[in-house]
Amino acid sequence: MELTSPRTIRAIADRFGFTFKKGLGQNFLTSPEVLEKIAQAAEIEDGVLEIGPGFGVLTQTLCEYAEKVVAVEIDSRLNEVLEFTLSGYRNVKVINADIMKTDIKKLIRDEFGDKRISVAANLPYYITTPVITRLLEEKLPINNIVVMVQKEVAQRLCALPGGKDYGAITLLCRYFTAPEIITNVKAGLFVPPPKVDSAVVRLKMLDAPAVSVKSEDMFFKTVRFAFAQRRKTLMNCLSSGFGIPKDELSDIFEKANIEPSRRGETLSIEEFANMADRISEYFG
Ligand code: SAM
């Protein structure tokens, strides 16, 4: 079944009386080339978790690469559609659930045992950041996360220090992964087309975090506070965030060898780690 054909998508929608819900980000991909790129970038060993299968177009491609595919879809109207479109595959399981309310660690253990898996998703835009944050922070047995996201979000996930795209989510990605834009995807390659272009990003999990810090919690707090008010200097952001008086914070900046007038977006991940460690020492 050629799910990349817009005509087929319309025919399936008609057959099941399915109407696209914009609020759930239901824009379905129609490019075989992009589907292949996602599946290959995921470097699948055995298992894949897919978030949001829709009509199952990416699911079908993943089934060709994986031993087992588990697809979590929030929209129960898609149950019967997926039963139909995936009827030719024996290695897929569809779970009707909201990924944001799913215990992902338990799901992976239950479905894949102790294997490390890949995650692939053409993510609904409204949950992009919370899903990526959860996948990274929960320290799951994952090798690669390959996600289609809004182009601007892709640039943020993969940004380098110094620009407006560089922020807290960039550092979260850089701490745990090697982020990379795999390909850009024009809005016209979806049915129905969204308002913005997209890009496929791979977050390849590192064996160990990119920098070693005394306290991960303190590292991410420092990052969060540094970007909480982007127009303010690091001195102002960290002083109000941590409640450290400026004269005491000056000493910390000096020890870290970082100019207090800099802004968060100019700090490399190593400088953030250094700053966070000095703050950890301050709090003892
Ligand atoms: N994978 C298909 C494709 O590539 O064409 C569909 C992608 S579509 C952009 C996003 C899918 O995610 C939709 O099927 C939508 O119903 C589903 N979805 C939205 N929110 C979800 C959530 N919280 N949990 C699981 N699935 C969700």
Side-chain angles (χ1 to χ4, degrees):
M1 200 179 311
E2 209 44 74
L3 287 181
T4 48
S5 146
R7 188 181 295 178
T8 308
I9 295 175
R10 301 270 176 220
I12 293 173
D14 284 350
R15 173 174 174 163
F16 290 94
F18 182 85
T19 48
F20 295 84
K21 270 195 189 158
K22 212 170 150 191
L24 289 178
Q26 289 177 339
N27 308 98
F28 298 164
L29 185 58
T30 62
S31 162
E33 292 78 23
V34 176
L35 291 166
E36 283 297 318
K37 280 185 183 166
I38 295 174
Q40 283 173 15
E43 296 178 332
I44 298 162
E45 285 177 5
D46 298 300
V48 190
L49 169 65
E50 186 192 4
I51 301 166
F55 277 7
V57 69
L58 176 59
T59 326
Q60 287 187 342
T61 310
L62 296 172
C63 280
E64 302 290 344
Y65 281 78
E67 211 168 86
K68 180 174 179 181
V69 180
V70 173
V72 176
E73 171 58 60
I74 195 173
D75 189 346
S76 59
R77 297 176 307 153
L78 287 166
N79 290 354
E80 54 175 0
V81 179
L82 286 164
E83 215 167 284
F84 173 66
T85 58
L86 300 175
S87 59
Y89 297 89
R90 294 279 154 269
N91 57 340
V92 61
K93 177 170 176 179
V94 175
I95 297 176
N96 180 215
D98 177 348
I99 194 68
M100 290 311 293
K101 295 186 182 145
T102 301
D103 180 341
I104 304 175
K105 193 170 262 180
K106 181 173 181 310
L107 182 146
I108 295 176
R109 199 179 332 107
D110 291 350
E111 298 295 337
F112 300 101
D114 53 12
K115 288 186 175 139
R116 294 185 77 79
I117 62 157
S118 297
V119 175
N122 174 4
L123 276 182
Y125 299 143
Y126 78 105
I127 51 165
T128 303
T129 308
V131 165
I132 292 175
T133 303
R134 279 197 59 198
L135 291 174
L136 296 180
E137 285 186 348
E138 292 185 16
K139 303 199 185 327
L140 305 164
I142 292 173
N143 287 327
N144 284 290
I145 301 168
V146 181
V147 281
M148 173 95 70
V149 296
Q150 230 169 296
K151 199 170 163 192
E152 289 68 26
V153 176
Q155 283 159 353
R156 262 186 264 150
L157 300 181
C158 303
L160 294 171
K164 65 170 178 34
D165 292 331
Y166 190 70
I169 187 77
T170 317
L171 281 142
L172 179 70
C173 290
R174 291 225 172 262
Y175 184 79
F176 288 112
T177 78
E180 181 190 352
I181 293 183
I182 300 293
T183 187
N184 290 317
V185 186
K186 287 272 171 222
L189 289 173
F190 297 87
V191 171
K195 288 209 171 67
V196 291
D197 290 339
S198 299
V200 176
V201 170
R202 173 171 59 196
L203 303 172
K204 192 176 179 60
M205 302 301 292
L206 301 172
D207 293 336
V211 285
S212 91
V213 288
K214 287 183 195 297
S215 154
E216 216 161 72
D217 184 47
M218 189 60 83
F219 172 77
F220 285 114
K221 255 191 196 146
T222 307
V223 168
R224 255 200 328 277
F225 291 148
F227 289 106
Q229 296 156 293
R230 290 189 78 106
R231 283 158 192 248
K232 293 201 172 171
T233 62
L234 210 49
M235 171 62 101
N236 284 329
C237 287
L238 298 185
S239 175
S240 62
F242 284 111
I244 305 176
K246 286 191 181 163
D247 55 330
E248 291 177 31
L249 199 53
S250 287
D251 293 344
I252 299 179
F253 272 104
E254 205 170 305
K255 277 191 198 140
N257 201 16
I258 289 168
E259 189 50 53
S261 61
R262 286 173 66 183
R263 285 177 167 59
E265 67 205 38
T266 69
L267 261 66
S268 67
I269 191 165
E270 290 79 12
E271 288 176 309
F272 267 113
N274 187 3
M275 196 65 202
D277 279 358
R278 303 291 80 79
I279 296 171
S280 292
E281 283 164 7
Y282 171 85
F283 285 112

